[in-house]
Every structure is written in structure tokens, then in C-alpha cells.
Amino acid sequence: LDGQAYGADDKEVMVMHSNSGITIDLDAVRKSLPQLNISKFEAVYGIPDQIYESYTGDSDVAAWAAWAVLDVHVLLDGKRAFYRKSLDTSVRKNSISIPIRDEQRFLTLAVTDGGNGNHGDYVVFGESKLILNIE
């Protein structure tokens, strides 16, 4: 992602294809760590650099820029907390930082097709974390 390797020792990664999502029950996290409170969710995101080469053997990412267009969503209790419309390969790496209130229970990350078909529509969420504070 933007020339940096993820999925190794210190750079965890979650890769999602368009039209998929994952929901985290924040209350389950709170119950397992009762001495801490969740203050925010943070991550970097973008389209992986090598996605096109893996499909075609062609390393010319610019030639494939029109293929991967997707929308990135982060929801808190089903309500939009973050939305990036029409993410494509022209966007390298971006950051997300979303405050989380005590009463919010579900954090959802979702990726949807940007309107041109879902072939090659992958997004990387790297270094995803919940920021925890001692009460």
C-alpha cells in the first residue's frame, strides 16, 4: 500500500473485496477489557499496489486505474461515520480516525462497488486499531 508492505510483523492488514463487510461488537471488547474504554478507531486504507499485476502480469497500474473503483464505508451502530466515494488507484494511502462514544455498540467496515463492476475491487485496511484508554 503506497509502496509499504503490509501483512508482515508490524503492519497488520485486512483485505476486503467489494460488496463485503465486517462488524465488531464493541460491547464484547468492553466486557473483555472492563478497565479500559474505547475512544476511537484508526486505520490506513487504499487499493493495494500489486492488485493489477496479480490479475494480469502487467505492472502498469495506471492502465488498470479504471478497473478498481469502490466505496469505503465505516458505520457506527448502522450510521455513517466515514464514507469515501469512488476510491481508485489515483489515491495512494489515506487515514481514518473516528471517535467512538461509550453508548456506541457496533463498528462496521464495508466496501461496495463504485459503479463499474467489482472486478479487481480490493481495499486494504492496514494498522486497524481501537484506541483504548484507562478509565
Side-chain angles (χ1 to χ4, degrees), residues 1-81:
L1 184 61
D2 197 22
Q4 196 163 51
Y6 284 81
D9 300 328
D10 63 340
K11 300 263 188 235
E12 60 78 24
V13 66
M14 177 174 42
V15 180
M16 295 176 68
H17 191 271
S18 65
N19 304 325
S20 67
I22 184 169
T23 298
I24 299 160
D25 183 344
L26 298 171
D27 278 355
V29 175
R30 291 178 181 113
K31 286 177 187 170
S32 67
L33 301 167
Q35 71 280 18
L36 301 173
N37 70 356
I38 302 168
S39 63
K40 66 175 85 166
F41 167 77
E42 292 183 345
V44 295
Y45 72 95
I47 295 174
D49 298 343
Q50 289 91 6
I51 194 67
Y52 307 102
E53 187 173 351
S54 69
Y55 268 100
T56 66
D58 184 357
S59 62
D60 183 7
V61 173
W64 291 93
W67 278 71
V69 179
L70 47 89
D71 300 334
V72 177
H73 312 260
V74 180
L75 309 174
L76 283 166
D77 291 340
K79 295 180 182 160
R80 184 183 293 169

Side-chain angles (χ1 to χ4, degrees), residues 45-47 52 65-73 80 82-92 94 110-117 121-123:
Y45 72 95
I47 295 174
Y52 307 102
W67 278 71
V69 179
L70 47 89
D71 300 334
V72 177
H73 312 260
R80 184 183 293 169
F82 175 85
Y83 178 59
R84 174 61 164 92
K85 182 175 178 57
S86 301
L87 177 68
D88 63 25
T89 57
S90 68
V91 178
R92 304 311 296 166
N94 291 284
V111 180
T112 57
D113 173 54
N116 67 340
D121 285 1
Y122 290 90
V123 70

